[in-house]
Amino acid sequence: MDYFEEQIALLKEEKQYDFAQHENLLLKSSLHDRRMQGVSWFPITIGGTEIGRGDYLTITLHRTNNLNEGHKFRFGMPVALFSNYDPTEDRLEGIISYVSRDTMRISVRVDEMPDWCRRGKLGVDLLFDEHAYDEMFNALSEAKNRLLDKDNGCVVRQLLGEDAMLSNPIEEVYTHPALNTSQNAAINAIISDRLLSILHGPPGTGKTTTLIAGIQALLKKRNGQILVVAPSNTAVDLLSEKLALAGVSVLRIGNPVRVSEHLQKLTLDAQVDNHPVNKERKTLEKQARAYTDMAHKYKRNFGKAEREQRKALFDEARKIRKEMDKLQDFVIEDVLNKVEVVTATLVGANHYTVRNRHYHTVIIDEAAQALEPACWVAILKADRIIMAGDHCQLPPTVKSSSNIANGLSNTLFEKLIKRFPDQVSLLDTQYRMNEQIMNYPSRVLYEGRLIASDSVRNWKLLEDDKPVVFIDTAGAGYEESIEENAVSNKEEALFLYRHLLANVIAMQQNDISAELPSIGVITPYRQQSILLKELIMQDDILKSIVPAIQVHTIDSFQGQEKDLIYISLVRSNTGQQIGFLGDVRRMNVAMTRAKKKLIVIGDSATIGQHDFYKGFIDYVTDLDQYHSVWEWPM
């Protein structure tokens, strides 16, 4: 099986598993459970309708309660509007054209709302997203074809090592006084003529800052547009906003997840709305709506003359909408031609407005969290590739494959780092954490190459504080429990809660600052995070400072940082089973969230057989920062 056939086979396995999981959720879960899982809104209200592009009816929906619940609805995903009167029959499928926290617009191929919308309460279900998989399958097929194309396949062949990767010497033409040596070196690689440049950014080393400065330098050096993509909407939003604040003209393809006025102004919708030619399109839109409104007056009268008149009115409205579409195409093209940077998710890089565009440089941020098939969607549009990320942090979410080493979890970013080590720029100076917190992850995962900046090297919560502490629960009887595949450890959670409470009281009494340090409580397991939240919210003192305390799973905490971090490892069993604690990338993320103090709580008898945790316990022991729970009153 050749390279891309193997990728296609892995993606098929992932799609089948994903589809089965989604269908099981929709068919077998209650509406309440679907809502809790973020795949249904109910109840909703209709905010309005209008005929949109290509004769599609656009329906605006509003969520009327539970506005604080998260959801998984995203731009471009398929949905089904339904009535609870008869949810299996009363259904209308469409595509999301806009979505925020509590508002959604969907496009459906009908002239008007169906009659059943007037009976029962309405809701909307998220359907299985075939589109994203189709884009990835198409990209893999195209990459396979280019591999055999001697004229157009040089990028693909060089990335796969079929042809020699040309490595021109990097000239030191860029220096920014506010950046460190490794950051300036990385930017010189970014603006070089090399086909591939890899920016390896460990925690706290300023990867995003370097990337923004590199894009600015690249725009000054070269004419032409840059495509900047990332696997998640959140990462795309962050880059879009920071680029715009740096003075770069940005067009955000797709809808941002982060709701801010500044970010909304960067979207295609907003820039099209503000285009001077759009006034003419809006005038035509009013005319089309007037004809459509007149046609709807005939809805209850079905004589021959009325039918013909209704048809004529709809036909006239369609003619006007075709003129509107032509104007919109012109405006979109004009907006696209004038921006310096287009930003999108990896799959969003094939949005219909940019599907056929090519770029001198494509930048993939958070590439170590991206599925390889999605990366090829963007790579095929590029003459040069810049990938940024850290393969020593969390990998992409892969639902199906148990073959972690060779499946979709093995990212293109990691493959290219191993294949072309001379194309890698490592950012080696971190600005987040005390040197003692940094040293162990640096030694184990980054060959000891990380340096703590002078600004953070010795900072602490208190003058005589210990920056790294391990509290051993071995022998205390804090055994884990597993119910419905959910792992938790109540006794360990109770100990953490009591320790945190004592710490907070001591900090308040010491009056170490005008306000408490920021605190993060992290655990690998969702059930444990729920248990910890409940304990904290039941305590009057901790509840009163909840804005300063965040409790999350490790996966939810990536990208954040806190002055004080607690980690509850949870696992405690006689078989030394540690589950996905064995993926040390997850622990790297957890440990490197701490700025001034890290407290890890776990059972050495369970985790100590694993090299990473044995090494960590040895490390804190050498620092005289190993403790047992027996040192605290029970």
Side-chain angles (χ1 to χ4, degrees):
M1 189 182 292
D2 69 22
Y3 185 87
F4 288 110
E5 284 296 331
E6 184 178 357
Q7 286 293 310
I8 289 169
L10 289 169
L11 190 60
K12 281 180 179 175
E13 179 188 352
E14 179 74 1
K15 180 184 176 182
Q16 288 166 359
Y17 188 91
D18 196 9
F19 177 76
Q21 294 283 94
H22 190 89
E23 288 299 288
N24 191 52
L25 180 62
L26 281 185
L27 296 174
K28 296 185 179 180
S29 299
S30 67
L31 183 54
H32 175 267
D33 287 345
R34 299 203 309 270
R35 220 176 60 198
M36 293 297 104
Q37 292 282 340
V39 297
S40 293
W41 282 8
F42 185 86
I44 60 166
T45 59
I46 304 293
T49 62
E50 61 180 354
I51 298 294
R53 185 180 181 85
D55 290 341
Y56 279 80
L57 183 70
T58 299
I59 308 170
T60 301
L61 315 172
H62 298 291
R63 194 160 45 153
T64 56
N65 60 7
N66 303 298
L67 301 185
N68 293 323
E69 291 175 2
H71 66 79
K72 297 178 181 177
F73 293 85
R74 298 287 181 264
F75 169 80
M77 287 183 166
V79 293
L81 182 69
F82 67 88
S83 164
N84 73 336
Y85 182 82
D86 189 352
T88 56
E89 290 297 321
D90 296 346
R91 291 180 79 78
L92 180 63
E93 294 189 5
I95 300 293
I96 298 173
S97 58
Y98 171 83
V99 64
S100 63
R101 185 172 65 102
D102 58 0
T103 300
M104 189 188 310
R105 289 199 296 270
I106 64 172
S107 296
V108 294
R109 192 120 212 194
V110 294
D111 287 325
E112 53 200 334
M113 295 289 288
D115 289 339
W116 54 257
C117 288
R118 298 179 180 85
R119 62 176 182 262
K121 291 182 179 180
L122 300 179
V124 61
D125 281 333
L126 181 64
L127 302 181
F128 182 69
D129 187 11
E130 295 265 3
H131 171 73
Y133 282 103
D134 288 345
E135 293 290 3
M136 288 189 281
F137 280 122
N138 290 339
L140 291 173
S141 296
E142 175 62 19
K144 181 182 176 183
N145 291 336
R146 289 203 197 175
L147 190 60
L148 305 174
D149 186 339
K150 292 189 176 180
D151 296 323
N152 298 311
C154 64
V155 171
V156 178
R157 286 199 303 277
Q158 286 186 51
L159 289 179
L160 294 192
E162 298 283 329
D163 290 351
M165 176 72 72
L166 302 176
S167 297
N168 301 326
I170 296 173
E171 297 179 30
E172 294 186 19
V173 295
Y174 179 94
T175 304
H176 194 297
L179 300 180
N180 64 49
T181 302
S182 67
Q183 290 171 325
N184 279 313
I187 293 172
N188 278 303
I190 286 171
I191 64 177
S192 72
D193 293 326
R194 291 185 170 191
L195 174 100
L196 175 67
S197 179
I198 299 173
L199 178 61
H200 184 189
T205 54
K207 172 178 66 68
T208 302
T209 299
T210 306
L211 207 51
I212 299 298
I215 290 168
Q216 289 177 287
L218 197 55
L219 288 167
K220 285 181 182 177
K221 180 180 178 181
R222 297 171 179 266
N223 290 321
Q225 222 167 56
I226 298 172
L227 175 65
V228 178
V229 291
S232 72
N233 278 288
T234 304
V236 177
D237 290 349
L238 176 67
L239 281 168
S240 301
E241 204 151 23
K242 286 187 176 292
L243 282 166
L245 289 171
V248 176
S249 66
V250 179
L251 177 64
R252 168 67 158 101
I253 299 294
N255 296 128
V257 171
R258 292 167 59 193
V259 181
S260 73
E261 186 180 350
H262 185 66
L263 197 53
Q264 295 293 335
K265 288 178 181 177
L266 306 180
T267 64
L268 183 61
D269 282 353
Q271 295 191 40
V272 165
D273 276 348
N274 293 326
H275 195 282
V277 174
N278 202 47
K279 290 180 181 178
E280 187 179 343
R281 193 191 69 82
K282 287 184 176 179
T283 301
L284 290 173
E285 186 179 2
K286 287 179 182 177
Q287 294 174 12
R289 190 178 293 123
Y291 280 114
T292 303
D293 289 345
M294 283 189 283
H296 286 159
K297 290 177 183 178
Y298 290 97
K299 187 171 183 184
R300 300 296 174 192
N301 302 308
F302 286 104
K304 183 180 178 185
E306 287 82 7
R307 255 195 212 99
E308 289 178 355
Q309 183 64 20
R310 190 168 189 256
K311 183 179 181 300
L313 289 167
F314 274 132
D315 286 345
E316 194 59 36
R318 285 191 183 94
K319 285 179 187 175
I320 294 172
R321 285 197 294 270
K322 283 180 182 176
E323 289 300 312
M324 289 166 53
D325 287 349
K326 287 180 184 176
L327 278 175
Q328 189 167 9
D329 286 341
F330 168 78
V331 171
I332 288 171
E333 196 66 16
D334 196 49
V335 168
L336 278 166
N337 288 336
K338 289 177 179 174
V339 296
E340 294 174 305
V341 172
V342 173
T343 63
T345 60
L346 286 158
V347 171
N350 239 11
H351 186 270
Y352 76 93
T353 55
V354 292
R355 184 177 293 275
N356 298 317
R357 289 193 161 237
H358 197 83
Y359 305 88
H360 69 69
T361 302
V362 166
I363 297 173
I364 304 176
D365 191 22
E366 302 297 353
Q369 289 187 295
L371 292 177
E372 177 170 346
C375 289
W376 287 105
V377 176
I379 289 171
L380 295 175
K381 297 175 177 292
D383 295 323
R384 296 181 64 244
I385 311 296
I386 295 163
M387 300 184 91
D390 180 14
H391 57 296
C392 300
Q393 296 190 61
L394 289 177
T397 300
V398 178
K399 302 170 185 176
S400 61
S401 179
S402 57
N403 186 356
I404 299 299
N406 298 309
L408 289 176
S409 294
N410 187 17
T411 63
L412 183 61
F413 182 84
E414 191 165 4
K415 291 175 187 175
L416 293 177
I417 277 189
K418 291 175 181 175
R419 197 175 292 152
F420 306 111
D422 57 335
Q423 311 291 326
V424 179
S425 300
L426 174 72
L427 303 181
D428 61 14
T429 305
Q430 66 84 16
Y431 300 87
R432 176 181 295 163
M433 65 202 95
N434 179 289
E435 188 173 40
Q436 286 189 18
I437 299 171
M438 174 202 77
N439 277 339
Y440 186 68
S442 173
R443 182 193 306 170
V444 175
L445 296 166
Y446 302 104
E447 300 174 341
R449 295 173 65 186
L450 297 189
I451 305 162
S453 164
D454 290 341
S455 60
V456 302
R457 179 175 289 122
N458 296 311
W459 67 357
K460 300 176 182 179
L461 287 180
L462 298 167
E463 196 64 36
D464 59 347
D465 212 10
K466 297 177 178 180
V468 185
V469 173
F470 177 72
I471 301 175
D472 193 355
T473 67
Y478 293 3
E479 292 187 4
E480 67 186 56
S481 63
I482 303 176
E483 295 180 15
E484 296 181 355
N485 294 321
V487 184
S488 63
N489 189 322
K490 186 175 181 180
E491 293 300 324
E492 184 173 291
L494 282 165
F495 175 82
L496 190 154
Y497 149 69
R498 289 193 292 264
H499 193 280
L500 170 62
L501 178 61
N503 229 337
V504 167
I505 292 170
M507 287 188 286
Q508 288 175 330
Q509 289 172 346
N510 273 279
D511 191 28
I512 62 173
S513 64
E515 57 185 54
L516 279 169
S518 57
I519 301 168
V521 180
I522 312 178
T523 175
Y525 294 96
R526 184 170 176 270
Q527 191 58 40
Q528 186 79 346
S529 73
I530 292 169
L531 187 57
L532 286 161
K533 282 177 187 175
E534 289 173 351
L535 289 168
I536 287 168
M537 292 305 293
Q538 287 169 8
D539 185 275
D540 289 340
I541 293 174
L542 296 182
K543 187 178 179 180
S544 69
I545 60 162
V546 157
I549 304 176
Q550 282 197 352
V551 184
H552 281 302
T553 60
I554 296 172
D555 294 44
S556 300
F557 226 99
Q558 180 149 318
Q560 298 188 60
E561 56 187 48
K562 300 292 177 186
D563 295 318
L564 167 61
I565 288 287
Y566 277 88
I567 302 175
S568 170
L569 295 180
V570 180
R571 303 311 298 258
S572 179
N573 55 74
T574 55
Q576 283 99 37
Q577 299 297 314
I578 63 171
F580 58 43
L581 280 185
D583 185 347
V584 298
R585 294 173 295 186
R586 191 167 260 104
M587 280 310 297
N588 181 36
V589 170
M591 290 177 172
T592 56
R593 300 309 96 195
K595 295 164 67 176
K596 299 177 182 178
K597 182 158 186 144
L598 171 66
I599 300 173
V600 182
I601 302 171
D603 179 0
S604 65
T606 299
I607 64 170
Q609 301 302 310
H610 190 286
D611 288 345
F612 179 87
Y613 298 99
K614 181 181 183 301
F616 176 67
I617 294 168
D618 290 344
Y619 172 70
V620 293
T621 302
D622 290 344
L623 293 172
D624 193 26
Q625 291 168 200
Y626 169 92
H627 295 276
S628 167
V629 290
W630 298 106
E631 297 174 35
W632 283 266
M634 302 301 286

